[in-house]
Amino acid sequence: MITLALSKGRIFDETLPLLRAAGIEVLEDPEKSRKLILPTSNPEVRVVLVRASDVPTYVEHGGADLGVTGKDTLIEHGGQGLYQPLDLNISRCRVSVAVRADFDYASAVRQGSRLKVATKYTSIAREFFASKGVHVDLIKLYGSMELAPLTGLADAIVDLVSTGNTLKANHLVEVERIMDISARLVVNQASLKLKQAVIRPIIDAFAQAIVKNPATS
Ligand code: PRP
């Protein structure tokens, strides 16, 4: 049996065409069922639904043989023990710095002020501000980052931006793009050796089906 770890939402939806290219149909809709293990049309393959940030952990420890996860999540996890054969070019977005529209970020950086930065992406944020020589106090959050500058918890946030609608709706502006993000296929290294006969064809089919330049999200 091969187990593929996916998170609900965009990654799940955008992985379906790749699975189809590998001849695999997921037989249940996660939006209509509360099941966490979904059968597929291939009796040798099943999908498990996990939190996005847990996908690398499942694959690292063999709870899943394969997974699809954002580059952001992989960087925060560290990526240890994971074979990363493919950038799937799906779930594209970016990690950016955003502040309240009335906060003068450029002056704060120029003056060497110490910035309070709220984020779920502490590794990415730490490395980015260190590379700029900006001193920051990082505040770890697990969601709704946009609230932090609005409530005075932080001066800035580091968060995913896709359409920019969430920032706009909360009167925040993007002041720096840190990196572009897309989702990757990750594979447990032992599984790759022991279950080659099933896993290799899936990797190859995914590789063939990658859309090279989808419209920027
Ligand atoms: C992400 C991110 C923003 C939003 C950006 O949240 O944290 O809140 O998407 O998208 P937009 O630019 O298209 O508005 P997501 O919905 O992935 O959930 P999360 O808060 O759990 O990260």
Side-chain angles (χ1 to χ4, degrees):
M1 176 64 78
I2 296 291
T3 302
L4 169 67
L6 296 177
S7 50
K8 277 209 268 190
R10 212 171 149 196
I11 286 195
F12 181 88
D13 296 343
E14 296 183 9
T15 301
L16 289 184
L18 300 172
L19 283 170
R20 237 168 252 138
I24 299 165
E25 289 284 342
V26 181
L27 298 178
E28 289 196 49
D29 178 353
E31 300 303 331
K32 293 191 183 135
S33 145
R34 297 193 64 87
K35 280 193 193 167
L36 297 174
I37 301 180
L38 308 178
T40 75
S41 56
N42 181 338
E44 285 302 305
V45 179
R46 64 181 184 174
V47 168
V48 292
L49 297 173
V50 303
R51 284 283 294 266
S53 52
D54 291 336
V55 168
T57 308
Y58 265 82
V59 178
E60 178 190 358
H61 297 287
D65 303 292
L66 304 162
V68 176
T69 183
K71 181 181 169 188
D72 51 322
T73 307
L74 261 179
I75 292 174
E76 293 298 322
H77 169 269
Q80 61 275 12
L82 298 174
Y83 174 54
Q84 301 177 30
L86 297 174
D87 178 349
L88 300 173
N89 213 8
I90 57 171
S91 299
R92 282 157 54 119
C93 56
R94 54 195 184 269
V95 179
S96 293
V97 182
V99 298
R100 276 167 59 143
D102 59 4
F103 181 78
D104 191 347
Y105 176 78
S107 296
V109 168
R110 211 179 314 116
Q111 288 160 13
S113 315
R114 200 171 177 91
L115 287 180
K116 278 194 284 177
V117 178
T119 187
K120 180 153 81 173
Y121 305 101
T122 46
S123 298
I124 293 172
R126 186 176 300 111
E127 173 146 345
F128 174 72
F129 287 110
S131 74
K132 283 175 68 81
V134 174
H135 295 289
V136 291
D137 291 319
L138 292 176
I139 301 167
K140 171 87 181 182
L141 290 178
Y142 293 88
S144 301
M145 260 84 80
E146 295 82 6
L147 260 182
L150 304 179
T151 54
L153 180 68
D155 303 310
I157 59 172
V158 168
D159 195 9
L160 298 182
V161 180
S162 178
T163 59
N165 290 339
T166 307
L167 292 182
K168 206 178 293 170
N170 291 291
H171 310 290
L172 300 178
V173 291
E174 188 176 3
V175 286
E176 303 228 44
R177 287 172 80 127
I178 299 180
M179 66 173 72
D180 289 330
I181 297 294
S182 55
R184 318 276 151 133
L185 180 66
V186 292
V187 184
N188 176 280
Q189 289 180 345
S191 301
L192 184 64
K193 290 198 192 99
L194 299 172
K195 303 180 182 178
Q196 280 236 32
V198 185
I199 290 180
R200 264 294 160 206
I202 295 175
I203 296 175
D204 293 344
F206 274 31
Q208 290 293 318
I210 290 169
V211 179
K212 292 300 175 205
N213 286 305
T216 317
S217 54

